[in-house]
Amino acid sequence: MKIAVLAGDGIGQEIVKEAVKVLEVFRSEGQSVELEFAPVGGKAYDEEGDPLPPGTLALARDAQAILLGAVGGIKYDSLPRPKRPEQGLLRLRKELNLFANLRPALLYPELAAASTLKSEIVSGLDIMIVRELTGDIYFGQPRGIRINAAGEREGFNTMIYSESEIRRVAHVAFDIAMKRNRRLCSVDKMNVLETTELWREIMIEVSREYPGVVLSHMYVDNAAMQLVRNPKQFDVIVTGNIFGDILSDEASMLTGSIGMLPSASLDAQGKGLYEPIHGSAPDIAGQNIANPLATILSLAMMMRYTFGDDMLALRIENAVRGVLAKGLRTSDIFEAGATRVSTSQMGDAVIAAL
Ligand code: IPM
Ligand code: MG
């Protein structure tokens, strides 16, 4: 397993350290695990003046999988856009063609009370969001801020999807639905946006190859509402880059904490970048209180999707369930009666449970 480890900024450093401990356990058991470390995001900007230095990109290209912590920090917000930490991540996704972003929202029974929603609404929740990750308004040209005919500044971006971009992510979503409960909901805004009218057309076209999957469609505003009204109606959701960005943060809160949710970003060959869906959380960075479980669970996804090793994936997931069942909680998921633990204590507990 050749893995590039890009811890990034803020709590990224702390949580990745805990995930690396898991990989070291596997190595001590005889797995061949090769780790290469490199900076990304603000850290890379500080060290090399570029949020995705050539060396980091080369390492990521060369690896089979990438483990990423988080990027971003307030002090970088005034930099020119290409130098900002987020660009490191966006370029990495784009350069490596990691178009299929899988974001599961799974509620661990032990955490039902941590959700802000009533437990009967969320208990048993198990949704997979498939977010397209290398297209849409995130990357569309033209874009910028310009002076218009009236002499006023205006900002503009381009929402754009080609047929082939929609088709390939559709296939990923249908394939995943086949392995789950065979219900796929495609989220668009076709009542207003042509880009997503094409999106819906292609989804319907691809659905003919998957007669076993029930495809439905929902407008994004309604989907945002349904996610808090009755989230269990969903099995797999497929949507574009920006809608997926928003809906996946929303879905994460159903599960109690954004600190619990992993993600995988895959290319067509199964190479993947694995990262927690949360950000660098500068407000709690360096305090050893962040939740490392999303990052550790991202490793489980790595074992499953890149290395095809369900056994190792399940071991990690069961270890996480084990520590939750024991009542161990970082601050973000703390509740009365539980045992509050630090980032590193949580990591150690997972190792012990492994
Ligand atoms: C995410 C993040 C990123 C995104 C940011 C950090 C660029 O919010 O992975 O969801 O918008 O895709
Ligand atoms: Mg986001």
Side-chain angles (χ1 to χ4, degrees):
M1 301 181 193
K2 196 164 179 184
I3 303 168
V5 182
L6 317 179
D9 304 322
I11 60 168
Q13 294 291 330
E14 301 157 59
I15 54 183
V16 162
K17 204 164 147 192
E18 301 311 312
V20 165
K21 286 187 195 166
V22 171
L23 291 170
E24 279 164 354
V25 169
F26 291 165
R27 181 160 53 200
S28 73
E29 293 170 350
Q31 294 280 348
S32 126
V33 179
E34 203 181 302
L35 303 178
E36 304 252 30
F37 298 80
V40 72
K43 189 170 188 330
Y45 173 79
D46 287 340
E47 290 174 9
E48 305 184 38
D50 180 352
L52 183 64
T56 301
L57 179 58
L59 209 84
R61 273 194 205 289
D62 202 39
Q64 294 167 287
I66 301 148
L67 176 66
L68 191 133
V71 297
I74 304 143
K75 71 171 190 179
Y76 306 105
D77 282 352
S78 53
L79 288 173
R81 187 164 292 276
K83 300 281 184 200
R84 291 188 206 158
E86 291 76 11
Q87 290 302 311
L89 180 57
L90 294 172
R91 274 172 53 207
L92 200 53
R93 291 171 177 171
K94 189 75 177 170
E95 294 273 353
L96 300 182
N97 232 335
L98 305 168
F99 67 90
N101 183 211
L102 316 187
R103 298 191 163 188
L106 178 80
L107 184 87
Y108 290 87
E110 293 82 6
L111 297 184
S115 176
T116 49
L117 272 78
K118 295 192 192 100
S119 65
E120 68 261 29
I121 302 286
V122 292
S123 71
L125 184 87
D126 181 0
I127 301 176
M128 177 66 91
I129 297 185
V130 180
R131 167 190 177 195
E132 200 290 330
L133 203 59
T134 53
D136 202 354
I137 197 164
Y138 268 55
F139 295 95
Q141 295 289 346
R143 63 190 295 157
I145 299 173
R146 65 188 169 200
I147 309 285
N148 68 14
E152 189 191 13
R153 282 189 308 160
E154 64 185 11
F156 59 102
N157 291 87
T158 303
M159 179 178 252
I160 182 165
Y161 265 124
S162 68
E163 249 182 281
S164 58
E165 285 176 309
I166 302 169
R167 193 166 286 118
R168 65 181 182 176
V169 75
H171 279 287
V172 172
F174 277 102
D175 287 338
I176 287 174
M178 288 288 287
K179 293 188 195 136
R180 293 174 44 108
N181 294 319
R182 300 179 173 225
R183 285 183 292 115
L184 178 62
C185 179
S186 167
V187 172
D188 62 39
K189 188 70 187 174
M190 77 89 98
N191 51 345
V192 180
L193 303 169
E194 288 82 354
T195 310
T196 71
E197 189 181 323
L198 182 66
W199 177 279
R200 188 178 289 209
E201 244 176 65
I202 303 294
M203 287 293 153
I204 292 171
E205 212 182 287
V206 173
S207 74
R208 300 199 183 105
E209 296 171 47
Y210 299 85
V213 176
V214 179
L215 174 68
S216 61
H217 306 274
M218 202 179 271
Y219 296 144
V220 62
D221 49 350
N222 186 25
M225 182 182 74
Q226 296 298 335
L227 269 174
V228 286
R229 192 185 77 90
N230 176 19
K232 283 188 269 182
Q233 71 186 280
F234 296 108
D235 176 21
V236 182
I237 292 175
V238 63
T239 190
N241 203 345
I242 188 140
F243 296 162
D245 178 46
I246 299 163
L247 293 181
S248 61
D249 265 29
E250 187 189 4
S252 75
M253 262 303 124
L254 304 173
T255 71
S257 171
I258 198 166
M260 289 298 300
L261 294 187
S263 78
S265 306
L266 306 174
D267 75 1
Q269 283 77 43
K271 179 185 180 125
L273 179 145
Y274 297 84
E275 57 176 325
I277 88 159
H278 60 71
S280 58
D283 53 323
I284 59 164
Q287 298 175 38
N288 195 26
I289 58 172
N291 187 345
L293 294 180
T295 315
I296 290 172
L297 289 167
S298 297
L299 280 184
M301 292 189 88
M302 181 191 290
M303 296 305 137
R304 181 168 291 126
Y305 291 104
T306 292
F307 298 116
D309 196 326
D310 267 346
M311 284 299 292
L312 289 182
L314 285 170
R315 258 182 85 197
I316 297 172
E317 287 161 354
N318 287 336
V320 168
R321 281 177 204 274
V323 300
L324 292 176
K326 270 194 187 152
L328 304 188
R329 301 282 187 277
T330 41
S331 291
D332 57 315
I333 49 176
F334 184 77
E335 62 198 291
T339 309
R340 194 189 297 267
V341 294
S342 67
T343 309
S344 50
Q345 285 170 330
M346 185 59 108
D348 290 339
V350 172
I351 306 302
L354 270 179

